[in-house]
Amino acid sequence: QVQLEESGGGLAQPGGSMTLSCVVSGDTFTNYRMGWYRQAPGKEREFVAGIWWNGGATWYGDSVKGRTTISRDIAKSTVYLQMNSLRVEDTGVYYCVAATMSGGQESKHWGQGTQVTVSA
């Protein structure tokens, strides 16, 4: 059973930095796309960043491009999200996700989420 556990959220000031971690287990994650989404109060869940577990190719949402880096450490079974130049609008619950194709259908697994609050 695939499991994802996020950590590293908390309170940060505008302009600051924060790194989130997501420890994954339950599969080899070959051919998985790993990623982060976030959801602010009253808003829909928004894509933040993605990375292929194999190969490490990355892609980003427009709202974080240029100030956010996603990476993974295969030996530690961990996906990271480093955010710099934080803004108040980065506030929200951040979710780690693992997605793969199985039997022609996409299967997604979500973590419980970690709260990030950016405030002066």
Side-chain angles (χ1 to χ4, degrees), residues 63-112:
S63 60
V64 302
K65 199 173 294 183
R67 56 189 186 93
T68 298
T69 302
I70 187 171
S71 62
R72 87 275 187 257
D73 186 328
I74 295 176
K76 294 183 178 180
S77 298
T78 302
V79 180
Y80 301 98
L81 185 72
Q82 181 179 349
M83 300 182 289
N84 301 315
S85 302
L86 286 167
R87 305 169 182 170
V88 172
E89 52 264 39
D90 291 323
T91 295
V93 179
Y94 283 68
Y95 298 92
C96 183
V97 61
T100 190
M101 295 299 294
S102 177
Q105 291 192 341
E106 185 177 62
S107 174
K108 280 186 174 178
H109 305 274
W110 295 88
Q112 292 298 310

Side-chain angles (χ1 to χ4, degrees), residues 3 8 16 24 28 46 51-52 56 61 79 83 85 96 112:
Q3 292 186 321
V24 299
T28 59
E46 174 190 22
I51 186 169
W52 278 102
V79 180
M83 300 182 289
S85 302
C96 183
Q112 292 298 310

Side-chain angles (χ1 to χ4, degrees), residues 5-51:
E5 184 171 355
E6 304 98 333
S7 63
L11 177 64
Q13 292 189 338
S17 298
M18 182 177 288
T19 299
L20 307 181
S21 300
C22 174
V23 177
V24 299
S25 62
D27 204 336
T28 59
F29 296 97
T30 302
N31 297 323
Y32 269 76
R33 291 174 289 116
M34 314 299 293
W36 291 90
Y37 282 72
R38 68 186 181 188
Q39 189 165 20
K43 294 189 176 181
E44 294 186 354
R45 195 167 291 191
E46 174 190 22
F47 171 75
V48 177
I51 186 169

